[in-house]
Amino acid sequence: MIEQKKIVIIGGVAGGATAAARLRRLDEHAHIVLVERGADISFANCGLPYYIGGIIEKRESLFVTTPIAFNKRYNIDIRTKTEARRIDPVKKEVELYSFEKDKTYIESYDKLILSPGASPIRPPIPGIEDPRIFTLRSIPDTDKIKAYIHEKMPKRALVVGGGYIGLEMAESLHHAGLRVTICEKLEQVMMPLDFEMAALVHQHMRIRNIQFYLKDGISRFVTYPDHIEAVLESGKVIQTDMVIFSIGVRPEVELAKAAGLRLGETGGIWVDEYLRSSDEHIYAIGDAIETTHLVTKEKFLVRLAGPANKQGRIVADNIYGKQEKYIGSLGTGIVRVFDIVVGSTGANEKMLKKAGIPYRASLTHSANHAGYYPGAVPVSIKLLFTPDEGKVLGAQVVGLEGVDKRVDVFATAIMSGATVADLEELDLAYAPPYGSAKDPVNIAGYVAHNILKNDVEAVYWSDVDRVCEDGKCFILDVRTPKECELGMIKGAVNIPVDELRNRLAEIPKDRRVLVYCQVGLRGYVAWKILKQHGFDARNLSGGYKTYEIVTGKQENDDVYEYDRITVSDQIIKVKPSA
């Protein structure tokens, strides 16, 4: 007689449902119980904002599978609308409560998998209990928001929080016809990005006429029958018809904590490399656990479907003795923010500094495909790498098109231990509509390798004041006069790069020369000329484009009424026609 193993899984969606399917493929005879607090065991969590905004039209499109279909294929004992309330690791039992039957009962297990996920943070702000203030994490949350928009037809929405979900909600509500305001307590949106890359996102939201506030949190909500007033910490007041609170989530660890399971330094459930908790019969996966960052080696919380799916598969294998390791995550993510795409992988500067890891950086702005083919648009890349061998540590990419494939290339490079020199050599697909003979990834590699080899001496936007603080700095703008009319670094002298060799006498040799162009390429050419003529020169990485965006106003509490954006991604300020 075949011995039947009993496995209980608490929580569905990406991790729990994947574990259940894998377990069944490994063992046709096991009794697998999947417990889910909600009515749905597997839905597209990342698709919820797009359904609210009408971009995804059909509600059923959000469901990966249904309990009936999942049971029919995998013969899983599914208990929806059932909550796990207590774990007894000694007796190997779980206390369950059925909402439908209003009944509490005990379920035993041989192995237990925890996949409880994470819950939205709702801070104790006065007025936050108003029913027009929503959070978004589940299908019921989605239905409430969708119903409110349909029935009440609000004209204004406030999104609190500028992370992935916050910006996706802002875009979706804007798409649904609402006037959207974003409020972010930190100095930037999208914390996986470093500031100069987040500034590109700020710039785009300004161009799209999206009102947003930075470095300003919510102090309280004052509610009225026909609207809500959000009072900011600065004293500013925003009138709105609805609020989406999206300041983050926290891992649901109460069940694990009450059972005496160890929690990690980040507050998530501690697991070993086999995803086993501090109890040998209990595993944990998904948003509730802490894992290791593959670059910094520090513990962190990753709330992405990809890692949760991998973890579910690994846990199932390990329950059946395969000893598969989960090595950690890069935290690779991507999001669309109105017309632009924002992606990142690996470590950013903030993470590297915190971990004490030395690094160098480069900034490039390259066309997504061949410039002579219609529709070429910039792809901005920040690349981080080690200062010795140039090993890739992280990358951030912002652009209108082609961001996804570049982020994936960088993620693969980090996983394989590639260097910036390897990026130069990558043989990437090229045809005029899709790429360039020198892909933006290759160009990022060239620029980073030049910095590594000291083939260029680069400075960054944050270094300009320091480099020039002693007054012994000559700032040289090598763009065309027409470009300079749109703005220059204060105190700069314009000598176009094509005239530089004939005008070297105009540049003092007893002063440090800070040279810049629009994105860095002409500045590099000018730096090479100056260096070979005996000048002490530095080239501004990312050029004036990065400097102008970062040093300009970030918020959009006063809208650029008359700005337009050109194919070159250069903001042109124009006056309204008479």
Side-chain angles (χ1 to χ4, degrees):
M1 184 176 181
I2 298 174
E3 181 182 358
Q4 188 181 56
K5 191 186 293 285
K6 186 175 183 181
I7 304 158
V8 176
I9 305 168
I10 298 175
V13 197
T18 296
R22 178 65 175 169
L23 285 166
R24 177 57 73 217
R25 290 195 293 270
L26 293 172
D27 186 352
E28 181 63 24
H29 306 286
H31 182 191
I32 303 167
V33 181
L34 177 58
V35 178
E36 171 55 50
R37 184 188 297 150
D40 310 295
I41 61 167
S42 188
F43 60 91
N45 196 296
C46 297
L48 302 183
Y50 300 111
Y51 170 65
I52 291 170
I55 299 167
I56 296 174
E57 296 181 359
K58 297 181 180 178
R59 184 177 183 274
E60 55 267 29
S61 299
L62 297 171
F63 298 97
V64 179
T65 187
T66 64
I68 293 173
F70 198 66
N71 174 266
K72 186 175 182 180
R73 175 162 296 182
Y74 293 109
N75 188 26
I76 306 295
D77 183 355
I78 299 172
R79 317 274 180 90
T80 55
K81 299 181 182 179
T82 300
E83 183 176 67
R85 295 196 163 173
R86 185 176 60 84
I87 301 170
D88 187 333
V90 177
K91 293 182 179 179
K92 296 170 70 174
E93 293 177 342
V94 183
E95 180 184 292
L96 303 176
Y97 172 74
S98 169
F99 292 103
E100 287 186 316
K101 298 178 181 178
D102 189 20
K103 175 184 175 184
T104 300
Y105 62 98
I106 301 297
E107 197 71 53
S108 64
Y109 65 83
D110 295 314
K111 299 291 181 184
L112 179 66
I113 301 174
L114 298 179
S115 181
S119 56
I121 297 172
R122 284 182 71 98
I125 296 173
I128 198 171
E129 298 308 320
D130 188 283
R132 294 166 293 182
I133 300 175
F134 305 91
T135 56
L136 178 63
R137 188 67 180 173
S138 64
I139 293 293
D141 294 338
T142 306
D143 291 338
K144 288 178 185 177
I145 298 171
K146 188 81 170 176
Y148 179 80
I149 293 173
H150 178 72
E151 294 167 11
K152 304 299 183 182
M153 293 185 289
K155 293 181 173 61
R156 303 164 296 180
L158 169 63
V159 176
V160 183
Y164 281 95
I165 298 299
L167 293 184
E168 286 176 341
M169 275 306 309
E171 181 200 351
S172 296
L173 292 169
H174 187 268
H175 185 269
L178 281 77
R179 179 179 175 181
V180 179
T181 298
I182 301 168
C183 179
E184 170 57 61
K185 189 169 185 175
L186 300 175
E187 68 173 357
Q188 67 172 81
V189 300
M190 295 294 296
M191 287 311 292
L193 300 182
D194 289 319
F195 186 74
E196 65 267 44
M197 300 302 285
L200 291 166
V201 183
H202 301 162
Q203 179 205 40
H204 180 69
M205 292 196 299
R206 289 171 68 94
I207 291 168
R208 286 300 307 265
N209 204 19
I210 304 301
Q211 186 178 43
F212 65 98
Y213 296 83
L214 300 171
K215 295 187 288 187
D216 211 350
I218 303 292
S219 173
R220 66 186 185 277
F221 292 106
V222 182
T223 59
Y224 298 90
D226 62 341
H227 72 280
I228 300 169
E229 285 188 354
V231 182
L232 306 188
E233 293 171 351
S234 65
K236 296 174 183 175
V237 177
I238 299 171
Q239 290 194 355
T240 187
D241 302 316
M242 64 181 296
V243 178
I244 304 293
F245 230 91
S246 182
I247 62 171
V249 296
R250 59 169 58 95
E252 291 204 20
V253 298
E254 291 75 16
L255 195 64
K257 185 177 180 180
L261 300 182
R262 176 182 168 187
L263 300 184
E265 58 194 69
T266 62
I269 301 171
W270 177 90
V271 292
D272 64 13
E273 58 190 347
Y274 303 105
L275 299 172
R276 190 168 43 217
S277 75
S278 52
D279 183 291
E280 64 175 327
H281 301 294
I282 302 176
Y283 294 79
I285 57 178
D287 294 0
I289 71 168
E290 72 170 18
T291 187
T292 301
H293 194 281
L294 290 175
V295 173
T296 67
K297 307 304 178 187
E298 294 197 330
K299 296 298 182 181
F300 80 128
L301 300 169
V302 58
R303 290 126 182 176
L304 297 167
N309 273 282
K310 295 184 186 77
Q311 293 160 10
R313 181 181 177 89
I314 288 170
V315 160
D317 285 349
N318 289 341
I319 285 174
Y320 281 90
K322 293 184 181 290
Q323 295 296 292
E324 297 283 347
K325 294 181 180 180
Y326 182 71
I327 61 174
S329 173
L330 289 176
T332 304
I334 193 166
V335 63
R336 189 177 68 189
V337 184
F338 301 97
D339 297 323
I340 62 171
V341 184
V342 181
S344 65
T345 185
N348 58 31
E349 280 200 65
K350 297 181 286 283
M351 296 168 67
L352 294 171
K353 287 176 180 176
K354 180 175 178 290
I357 297 173
Y359 65 92
R360 300 290 299 275
S362 69
L363 288 161
T364 55
H365 305 283
S366 311
N368 68 314
H369 61 62
Y372 59 82
Y373 188 87
V377 289
V379 174
S380 298
I381 295 174
K382 180 171 184 179
L383 190 61
L384 297 158
F385 49 96
T386 60
D388 44 17
E389 59 180 341
K391 190 174 179 180
V392 182
L393 299 172
Q396 300 154 46
V397 188
V398 177
L400 290 165
E401 293 180 12
V403 170
D404 50 349
K405 68 177 182 177
R406 273 83 190 198
V407 170
D408 287 342
V409 170
F410 287 125
T412 305
I414 298 170
M415 289 292 291
S416 63
T419 68
V420 294
D422 295 323
L423 297 182
E424 289 182 309
E425 301 299 327
L426 287 178
D427 191 359
L428 301 173
Y430 162 54
Y434 306 109
S436 300
K438 289 188 288 189
D439 189 85
V441 172
N442 299 131
I443 291 173
Y446 289 130
V447 172
H449 201 194
N450 282 343
I451 293 172
L452 195 69
K453 296 182 297 184
N454 293 318
D455 196 31
V456 65
E457 293 177 76
V459 295
Y460 305 91
W461 66 269
S462 55
D463 298 327
V464 172
D465 291 341
R466 178 183 57 79
V467 170
C468 299
E469 65 183 353
D470 58 5
K472 296 180 179 178
C473 184
F474 183 85
I475 305 176
L476 176 62
D477 188 323
V478 297
R479 299 175 300 160
T480 65
K482 198 173 184 78
E483 289 175 286
C484 293
E485 289 175 7
L486 301 173
M488 300 172 67
I489 296 178
K490 186 177 180 181
V493 174
N494 178 222
I495 302 177
V497 65
D498 294 338
E499 302 175 16
L500 185 58
R501 289 183 181 87
N502 296 324
R503 298 176 62 181
L504 292 174
E506 299 175 35
I507 304 171
K509 278 206 168 182
D510 60 346
R511 293 167 66 183
R512 187 181 308 111
V513 181
L514 173 62
V515 59
Y516 71 89
C517 64
Q518 183 64 17
V519 298
L521 176 58
R522 286 172 291 173
Y524 170 62
V525 174
W527 179 88
K528 295 292 280 187
I529 294 170
L530 292 170
K531 196 70 177 175
Q532 294 178 64
H533 282 84
F535 290 89
D536 177 15
R538 308 283 189 278
N539 183 36
L540 181 60
S541 184
Y544 185 71
K545 175 173 180 173
T546 298
Y547 182 85
E548 179 194 35
I549 292 170
V550 174
T551 58
K553 183 174 171 58
Q554 299 300 310
E555 293 184 313
N556 199 31
D557 48 356
D558 59 337
V559 175
Y560 283 152
E561 292 185 62
Y562 311 121
D563 283 5
R564 61 184 173 84
I565 187 167
T566 69
V567 173
S568 66
D569 201 29
Q570 173 66 45
I571 293 181
I572 309 294
K573 292 182 174 58
V574 295
K575 293 181 180 179
S577 56

